[in-house]
Each structure stands twice: as C-alpha cells, then as structure tokens.
Amino acid sequence: MAIPKQKFTLPFFTLLLVNLWSNQMVIMAMESIPIGVVLDLNSTVGEMAESCMSMAVSDFYALNVDFKTRLALFTRDSSSDVVAATSSVLDLMKNDQVHAIIGPQKSSQAKFVIELGGKAEVPIVSFSATSPTLSATQSKYFVRTAQDDSSQVKAISSIVQAYGWREIVPIYEDTEYGNGLVPFLLDAFQEIDTRVPYGSRIPLYFNDTQIMSELHKLKEMKKSIFLVHMSASLGSRLFLLAKDAGMMSEGYAWLVTAGLSALLDPLGSEVMDSMQGVLGIKPHIPSSKKLESFKSRWRKKFTISKPQSKINELNLFGLWAYDTVWAIAMAVEKAGIVHSRYVKPNTSESTVDIAALGKSETGPRLLSSILSTRFQGLGGDFHLAGGERVPSAFEILNLIGKAERVIGYWTPERGLSRNLYTNGKIAYSTSKNKLKEPIWPGDTTQQPKRLRIGVPLKTGFNEFIKVEWNPEDDKPIVSGFTRDVFVSVVEALPFPLPYEFIPFVNKNKQSAGTYNDLLEQIKLKNFDAAVGDITIIANRSTYVDFTLPFSESGITMVVLTKRDERENMWIFLKPLSLELWLTTGIAFILTGLVVWVLEHRENKVFRGKPAQQLGTTLWFSFSTLFFAHREKVVNNWTRFVLIIWIFVVLIISQSYTASLASILTVKRLQPTFVDVKEIRKNGYFVGHQKDSFVKDFLVKQLKFNDTMLREYSTPEEYHDALSRGTHNGGVAAIFAGIPYVKLFLAKYSSKFQMVGQPYKNDGFGFVSLSFPVCLSHAIPQYIFKEYLFGRR
C-alpha cells in the first residue's frame, strides 16, 4: 500500500517561521552572562565535565525560557599545569570580563586561582578541587560545589573500625590533593586507636621502578592493610605494580578514597583486574528518572562527539559539573545581573598587571546568590554551607570482576548500614555485620586483619613470657622464649601477618584469670590467638586449636635431695649396714673365743692371768682383720678356724674399702622421695604452679586430695617450699612441666632432683580458634596449616 504524500500548505510554513523567529527573539532578548571554565580537557574529568556543562546550559534554558539572562561559557584548557590554569583565569577576567570561574580542575591549581578571585571579587566555583586545605576561610569568593575530601574521613574510620584493623598504612600522592587529607586521617585513626606506623608518599614524577621499590619496602615491613588516596592516573599504575609485587593476594586489604572510587570506569580492564577485592568509598547519588534520562542522553551524545574516548559511564564529577552550571544560572537570574563590568583602578594597562584587572561590580551580589541557591540536582540535594557542598551519604564499594558492588552505606546519623533507607531511628553503628560480606584480594571471603594476640601475665618463670609496661607511653612490652618463637615463625611466613600482643589483664593491670580463662576469651572471639607457655592438653582442644608443640613435653616431680654424706664425720661407718657391723662384731668375738679354747691348754701365749688371757684373745682376733697377728698357733683345728675367718675378713675388708672409696669420690644425691604412692599414702603436701592445669592432673589422675595441694608461682617459692620439707610448712614434692623444672634446676641443681618417669603431655603450643576456622579472617587457611599447624 502506497503512502500518500503529505501536502504542506502556506499556513504551515507561516506557523513554522513564526515559531523559529519567536525563539530567536527570546534568545536575543536574554542578557548574555560570560562565565569562565578552566579544565584539563585531555583528562577524564575534563572531558566529561565539558560535555555535561554544555548539556546543562541547553537543558536549563530549555526549561526556563522566560529567564532574562543566559550563561555563555568561555572554556580554557589548563593542560594539567598550575601556571597555565592561572594564566587562563587571568585571560578570562581581563579579556572576557567573566562574572564567575568554574574550575580550575585540580586542588593545586585552585590554590593560586582562589587568590585571584578574591582580588577581583569574582566567585571561583570548583566542582572537583576537593582538598581540605582549600576552603572559604582563605577567600570568601571560593565556592566548592563538590564534597570536601575530609567529609569522607569519618566513613573511612568507621570501615577501619568495623573490620578491626589496628594498623593501616596510607599511600598517597605527593600533591596538594594527596597531602591535604593526611592530617585528617591521622586524627581520625588516633580516635579509634588505629596505628599509622608509616606513610608512603608517592610523587607524580616517580617511574614504575621507583613505585615498585616503595611497594617492596612495604612488603618487607610486613604491612598488609593499605589506604590509597590518589588520582586515577597514578592510582592505576600503583595497583598494576602491586599485583606484580604479589600484594593483591590473600592476606592483604586495600581501601581507596572517593577520588579514585569515582573514576573506576575509564581505568580499563587490566587495571580493574588488578584491583579485585579492593574496597572503595564514594558519595551516594540518589537515583531518579531525571538522572536516568540524562545518562541515556549523555551517553548517546558523548559517543557521537568523542567516539575514541575510553569513558563509558557518567561519573560523579560530571554530575557535579552539571549541577554547578544550573546553580550559577539560577544565581545569575536571581541576582538580576545585566550590563555588568569590572571597575578598574588607576593602574598600569599592562596585561600582566594583576591589579589592572579591577573588581567585578556584581561579584558580591552573585556570590551571595550562589551561596543561597538550593535545588534538587542530578547529584542529589544541592545545598551549600560555609561555601561548600553539604556532605551526603557514602556508598561502600567492593570491586568484583569488572563491576563495583555496593556492600553498604555510611551516613553521619546512623554510621554503617546495609540499606540506606530504613524506617525508624537506628543507633550509630560501626559493626561489619551491618555490611554485606565483601570479596577480598585473592578471591577470598576471609578478612585480612591485625591479629589480637592474648598474652598471659606471669609473676614467675618470666623466661618463657614476660609483660612489662613502657613508662613513657604505658604500652605493653612483651618478651620471652615463647614470644621469640612466635615472632620467628611469623617472619618466616611468605605473607604478611599483622599482629599485636595484648596482655590478659584487668583494669588494674593484674592477671585477669587462669590460662583456661585466657583460652575462653579466644572462644568468645575477644582474642584471635594466644602466645605463651600454654600446654597442649585434651580438654582444651575441644574449643580451641593448637599448633604443633615447640617445647619438651611431660609433667615430672621434683624433690629435695638428702644431705651430702661426705660432710658426715661417721662416714666410715656407711659402707656396711648396721646388721653387717653387728654380725662382724659377733663373729670377731666368737672367733677369738674358739681360738682361746683350742690353744690355751697347749700354747703358752694364751695362758696367764684371766685379764691377760682376755686381752691376748681379743688382740689376736682383731689383728687378724689386718693380717697383722704374730701369735703362733699349735693346734690344727685352730688353723682350720683361722683359714675360714681370714677368708671372711678378706671379703669384708675388700668390700668395705670399695664402698668407702665410692662414697668419698662420687657425689651421691639421694632424693628424699621417689614414689608418688608414698607421698600420697603419708598425706604429705605437694605443690604445683599457680593457675596451671597441673592441679586438675594431680586430683583427677594421681588421686591427690585437693586439700593437700599448694600453689607456687616463682622458682624462689619452689625452693623455699621444698627446702622446708613436709614437717615445716613445706611440701614433699612439686609437680610441674619439664620446661619449668629444668629452668628451676638450672638455678638450684645442688639441692633438688627430678625423679620418676615423666607423665606425658604435648608441650607448649600457640592457640587460635578451632581449626579450620583458625585465625578467622586473617590469613589463608592452607598456608597457615602448613607453616604453623602442620599437616594433619
């Protein structure tokens, strides 16, 4: 079916011409108000801002056809140079007589331009110079339609607090923009007790080798939590190099500020791939039909006008630039500015004479009108206070794949929240439970954090673990064998493991409980791990997990030794027992009596007075002990008796000599007790270390009565209790772990002795949450299992 041709009549053409003529007359009737624009046109922000401001002028006056004024934008390219930006502003003021300046784009440029605006009384309106060092206090003619960088500091500190990061390293560019935020960050981190041990400042002129060197320095320092405050150009290089350095893997966490988060789109797939798992923060832009319509129109227009551009999505700075034009257009109309000019003083006409610029007649009126302008723009509520945009809510982003995922929000009233719009009054929160679970670098959900290592406070055996307080800053100083072992293991790991030692004490800096109480705090997640002389035992393993033991294992008994026999004047009696001495004496007398009976009838030597016969008999018998007898015997039976007696004497004398020599040459330490049953049967007191599991061992396994147990803390108390003994308020024995006993004997080895077979246990170990949720959100499970927990 053919489409009939339309017939255009004379009235139609007449109506069309009238409409075009009327629109042209409206435009001609508007007062043209020159506004200067200074941008870095080759930058992402500059390209986008120029297109958005052009559309802003068209959209505004299409909607406000009855306005008497119309903005005329005069754009200059500052080429990312401070001098060029200042020169562009001078040119716009002198030659174009502009009533306001939009820009310049960077904080370093704005620092100088603000002074020019103050002298010429021309409002300097910036939508992108966000450094906190710039403010209306420098010049009342400086107006910031962007959010001050310092407005995000509370949100950043809430995130750091939520994830329990007790230490963080800022990495920032060495510019006005980068340096301006650092003092605010340091104050915020100090408030939440987060340390900043080092700040990495990267100048713009650094090449990749220099940046990589700085990253390696941070890696060697075992730092793992970083806050990046940089422009997109420098930030993209940093993350590419960080990935090459192995710092975008498990165990690391990266947080970027709004300046970089707002410019993720044009960074490219390679850069986005290097930033996987990074957290970011940026001002929240409320969605609206007007915004979605503008995005669609902008995308079509920008693609046609700049097909080679890498920009695909509208960003925050483009919206702020759009709203800035609308705000100035409203302010100009409200101020009724027409036929205005600069009032020049009587000075030189030189083009380089700043004083020759004069002052804008309408500057004060326009400034007042801008500051009082308020409307609902594309970027949200446009509202200025103190010459700056009032901060709004912040989005918390997580970079996953090629997109950014919003995991929560932060507002000054409610802190962190998963949803921005909620009903009812909600208390301020800094809990990570208010956020969605992020994906961290290394494609893991395990959160990198600074481990809170619980340390017991001991009053004895400080060689194992010792806690002192620095008198200057009152911070704990931890030392000792177990601490040194832990530090050595951590330093050997191929990844950073941030940690801090926290003494297990109360408000008065006294021990807050037993070792079991300390391990209970790990179960309650008040500590991530514990380091100290903590023994691995079965019942503890039901709620915490231990590393492989790193000390000798076992419980043993230490007792007092008997007095050194060499100090006894009767030591010569020791080789023979009392029974043997009595037997020898009786045999001595009987042998003498038998010899007398057999010899006194025939041998004159054994005759005489009774006393003489008794003396001769005893002397003869005694002299045979040393084979020194000289009396002759005549009876054969006597000789037979003497053969037996001398043989017995030979055996006794040789045994006596050997035993006495052994006693005199070898130090023989004899324990006072060697049998646990003897101690328990006699009801003697026994000791154990204070707050130790050994108490339960003695009661449950060795069956000691609880009333017979006494607690001791130091080697000195061990010494005193054992020295006093069972009958003088002391103890018969002390039961302790082999490491403690060996340390005790190293000091008092001369008086005490370790006796009996050790009762087996697993020795000392480090403690964390039950495996495999060990050291939750801290380090990769498989690496921790291999290096600390061993393969099971």
Side-chain angles (χ1 to χ4, degrees):
M1 180 178 178
I3 298 175
K5 294 182 179 179
Q6 288 186 338
K7 296 181 179 180
F8 295 98
T9 61
L10 182 61
F12 174 80
F13 282 109
T14 304
L15 184 61
L16 180 62
L17 290 172
V18 170
N19 185 48
L20 291 173
W21 177 81
S22 61
N23 286 341
Q24 186 65 27
M25 291 302 293
V26 169
I27 294 174
M28 292 176 63
M30 289 182 176
E31 176 74 17
S32 181
I33 306 298
I35 301 295
V37 179
V38 180
L39 299 171
D40 300 335
L41 294 178
N42 290 325
S43 67
T44 299
V45 173
E47 279 187 86
M48 181 171 294
E50 184 185 29
S51 64
C52 289
M53 286 192 283
S54 175
M55 293 181 67
V57 172
S58 301
D59 291 349
F60 183 82
Y61 291 107
L63 205 64
N64 299 281
V65 294
D66 58 338
F67 273 31
K68 297 178 181 180
T69 57
R70 182 183 180 89
L71 301 186
L73 303 183
F74 293 82
T75 304
R76 298 288 188 274
D77 184 8
S78 62
S79 302
S80 300
D81 184 71
V82 174
V83 176
T86 306
S87 177
S88 297
V89 171
L90 283 170
D91 176 59
L92 289 167
M93 288 180 177
K94 183 174 180 61
N95 298 320
D96 295 305
Q97 298 283 296
V98 294
H99 294 275
I101 298 288
I102 300 178
Q105 188 174 310
K106 295 184 176 179
S107 299
S108 56
Q109 299 167 343
K111 183 177 182 180
F112 294 95
V113 172
I114 288 173
E115 300 297 329
L116 295 178
K119 289 183 179 296
E121 295 186 355
V122 174
I124 306 297
V125 186
S126 178
F127 64 88
S128 58
T130 56
S131 174
T133 58
L134 307 175
S135 68
T137 57
Q138 290 179 267
S139 172
K140 67 178 183 178
Y141 283 91
F142 175 63
V143 179
R144 179 158 35 208
T145 56
Q147 290 189 21
D148 181 353
D149 273 341
S150 64
S151 64
Q152 64 184 315
V153 167
K154 283 290 185 182
I156 291 171
S157 66
S158 293
I159 295 172
V160 172
Q161 192 173 10
Y163 290 112
W165 294 331
R166 305 302 299 276
E167 183 178 279
I168 193 167
V169 175
I171 305 177
Y172 56 98
E173 65 178 51
D174 189 13
T175 62
E176 188 78 22
Y177 164 74
N179 295 324
L181 186 62
V182 174
F184 295 88
L185 290 172
L186 295 179
D187 290 342
F189 291 147
Q190 186 175 11
E191 288 180 6
I192 61 174
D193 198 26
T194 294
R195 294 180 60 247
V196 181
Y198 179 76
S200 180
R201 186 165 56 186
I202 310 293
L204 294 179
Y205 60 80
F206 263 24
N207 57 35
D208 287 355
T209 302
Q210 291 171 304
I211 296 175
M212 181 63 83
S213 176
E214 183 67 17
L215 290 173
H216 281 307
K217 179 179 179 181
L218 294 173
K219 192 174 183 180
E220 290 173 0
M221 293 168 66
K222 300 292 184 180
K223 305 305 176 187
S224 62
I225 313 295
F226 304 105
L227 172 65
V228 180
H229 180 55
M230 289 181 173
S231 59
S233 58
L234 185 58
S236 60
R237 291 170 55 202
L238 175 77
F239 280 104
L240 286 171
L241 294 170
K243 184 179 180 181
D244 292 340
M247 298 174 68
M248 298 303 299
S249 57
E250 287 186 274
Y252 290 92
W254 296 79
L255 176 62
V256 298
T257 58
L260 185 54
S261 297
L263 296 172
L264 295 176
D265 172 64
L267 294 180
S269 59
E270 185 180 5
V271 176
M272 290 293 287
D273 183 62
S274 70
M275 296 179 68
Q276 295 300 296
V278 171
L279 294 184
I281 181 173
K282 71 177 182 180
H284 170 68
I285 303 299
S287 60
S288 64
K289 292 182 179 180
K290 182 180 177 182
L291 176 60
E292 294 305 316
S293 174
F294 176 76
K295 284 182 177 180
S296 178
R297 291 189 296 115
W298 174 85
R299 193 177 295 112
K300 291 178 182 178
K301 182 178 179 179
F302 192 79
T303 303
I304 295 172
S305 62
K306 297 188 177 182
Q308 303 300 324
S309 178
K310 296 180 180 179
I311 304 173
N312 298 313
E313 294 294 334
L314 189 64
N315 65 36
L316 182 69
F317 294 106
L319 299 178
W320 282 346
Y322 184 96
D323 289 347
T324 299
V325 171
W326 274 56
I328 294 176
M330 290 180 182
V332 166
E333 183 71 16
K334 185 168 58 174
I337 297 174
V338 292
H339 306 298
S340 62
R341 62 188 181 85
Y342 281 45
V343 178
K344 295 185 178 181
N346 296 323
T347 58
S348 169
E349 295 296 328
S350 171
T351 57
V352 296
D353 191 351
I354 297 177
L357 289 175
K359 294 184 178 181
S360 173
E361 286 184 327
T362 58
R365 195 155 27 113
L366 179 57
L367 174 65
S368 177
S369 182
I370 293 173
L371 294 177
S372 62
T373 299
R374 184 169 186 176
F375 64 97
Q376 195 65 30
L378 293 181
D381 182 29
F382 185 92
H383 179 209
L384 301 176
E388 298 186 351
R389 188 169 189 141
V390 175
S392 60
F394 284 90
E395 295 177 355
I396 302 170
L397 313 173
N398 184 208
L399 272 62
I400 304 173
K402 295 182 179 180
E404 52 189 56
R405 167 176 165 253
V406 178
I407 63 172
Y409 301 88
W410 179 90
T411 60
E413 299 79 21
R414 297 194 300 271
L416 301 177
S417 60
R418 187 167 297 191
N419 300 307
L420 184 58
Y421 303 105
T422 54
N423 297 324
K425 189 176 181 180
I426 300 176
Y428 190 91
S429 174
T430 56
S431 171
K432 68 178 179 181
N433 296 328
K434 296 291 184 178
L435 304 175
K436 298 176 184 177
E437 188 174 43
I439 303 297
W440 300 98
D443 194 27
T444 178
T445 58
Q446 290 194 351
Q447 173 204 329
K449 65 180 291 187
R450 184 176 179 83
L451 298 183
R452 294 167 56 87
I453 307 294
V455 178
L457 180 65
K458 296 172 62 67
T459 54
F461 295 98
N462 295 130
E463 290 83 355
F464 294 112
I465 194 75
K466 183 178 182 180
V467 178
E468 300 174 293
W469 273 266
N470 190 326
E472 295 182 359
D473 54 14
D474 203 37
K475 292 184 177 180
I477 301 173
V478 179
S479 59
F481 169 71
T482 58
R483 177 262 181 199
D484 294 342
V485 172
F486 178 79
V487 171
S488 298
V489 170
V490 169
E491 290 178 350
L493 297 176
F495 54 86
L497 181 61
Y499 62 87
E500 63 174 330
F501 293 119
I502 303 175
F504 182 49
V505 296
N506 56 26
K507 294 180 179 179
N508 299 322
K509 295 182 179 178
Q510 298 175 340
S511 177
T514 65
Y515 280 40
N516 287 338
D517 295 330
L518 171 59
L519 301 190
E520 186 70 21
Q521 295 303 308
I522 298 177
K523 180 182 177 182
L524 298 174
K525 298 184 179 181
N526 293 326
F527 291 127
D528 298 304
V531 169
D533 49 341
I534 304 171
T535 304
I536 303 171
I537 54 178
N539 65 333
R540 290 173 176 175
S541 298
T542 59
Y543 56 95
V544 293
D545 202 4
F546 289 89
T547 65
L548 294 175
F550 58 86
S551 72
E552 190 173 359
S553 61
I555 301 172
T556 189
M557 179 173 70
V558 60
V559 298
L560 180 70
T561 56
K562 295 179 180 179
R563 186 180 177 186
D564 191 347
E565 295 174 341
R566 294 179 301 177
E567 299 176 0
N568 191 340
M569 63 178 295
W570 301 102
I571 191 172
F572 66 90
L573 297 176
K574 296 294 182 181
L576 302 181
S577 64
L578 177 62
E579 292 82 2
L580 187 56
W581 279 115
L582 292 175
T583 302
T584 304
I586 292 172
F588 167 79
I589 295 173
L590 288 176
T591 300
L593 181 62
V594 170
V595 170
W596 178 80
V597 170
L598 296 175
E599 290 290 325
H600 81 284
R601 291 181 181 180
E602 301 176 14
N603 195 334
K604 295 181 180 179
V605 176
F606 291 92
R607 294 179 183 176
K609 296 180 179 180
Q612 184 178 357
Q613 293 183 40
L614 178 61
T616 301
T617 300
L618 293 177
W619 170 253
F620 177 82
S621 181
F622 180 77
S623 63
T624 58
L625 294 174
F626 307 99
F627 309 105
H629 54 285
R630 296 182 179 181
E631 294 80 4
K632 294 182 179 180
V633 294
V634 295
N635 192 302
N636 288 330
W637 288 107
T638 303
R639 293 187 179 96
F640 176 75
V641 170
L642 286 177
I643 290 173
I644 297 174
W645 170 243
I646 291 173
F647 181 74
V648 171
V649 168
L650 177 64
I651 294 174
I652 293 175
S653 62
Q654 293 298 320
S655 298
Y656 177 88
T657 303
S659 297
L660 184 60
S662 175
I663 293 174
L664 293 175
T665 56
V666 180
K667 183 179 181 180
R668 302 185 66 185
L669 297 177
Q670 294 294 330
T672 52
F673 299 98
V674 294
D675 190 0
V676 174
K677 294 180 180 179
E678 179 187 357
I679 298 174
R680 186 174 60 231
K681 179 181 178 181
N682 293 324
Y684 293 146
F685 286 103
V686 296
H688 63 85
Q689 191 173 10
K690 186 178 181 181
D691 297 334
S692 170
F693 74 96
V694 176
K695 179 178 180 180
D696 292 335
F697 169 79
L698 292 173
V699 173
K700 295 178 181 179
Q701 295 192 35
L702 297 187
K703 307 303 181 182
F704 277 95
N705 192 312
D706 188 51
T707 59
M708 305 307 293
L709 304 182
R710 293 183 175 178
E711 294 183 333
Y712 302 103
S713 299
T714 67
E716 291 73 23
E717 291 179 355
Y718 280 25
H719 176 274
D720 180 63
L722 289 170
S723 298
R724 283 188 280 124
T726 58
H727 303 295
N728 297 307
V731 294
I734 288 180
F735 291 84
I738 291 178
Y740 301 104
V741 172
K742 286 191 172 183
L743 189 61
F744 170 69
L745 294 178
K747 293 183 177 180
Y748 304 105
S749 59
S750 61
K751 297 179 61 177
F752 308 97
Q753 188 174 351
M754 184 167 56
V755 298
Q757 290 295 322
Y759 302 93
K760 286 295 182 182
N761 63 22
D762 290 332
F764 295 159
F766 302 132
V767 193
S768 75
L769 291 176
S770 298
F771 196 77
V773 194
C774 60
L775 296 182
S776 180
H777 308 302
I779 58 177
Q781 293 182 12
Y782 74 95
I783 296 180
F784 189 83
K785 183 177 180 181
E786 180 175 350
Y787 278 86
L788 286 183
F789 281 81
R791 297 192 180 276
R792 299 190 179 186

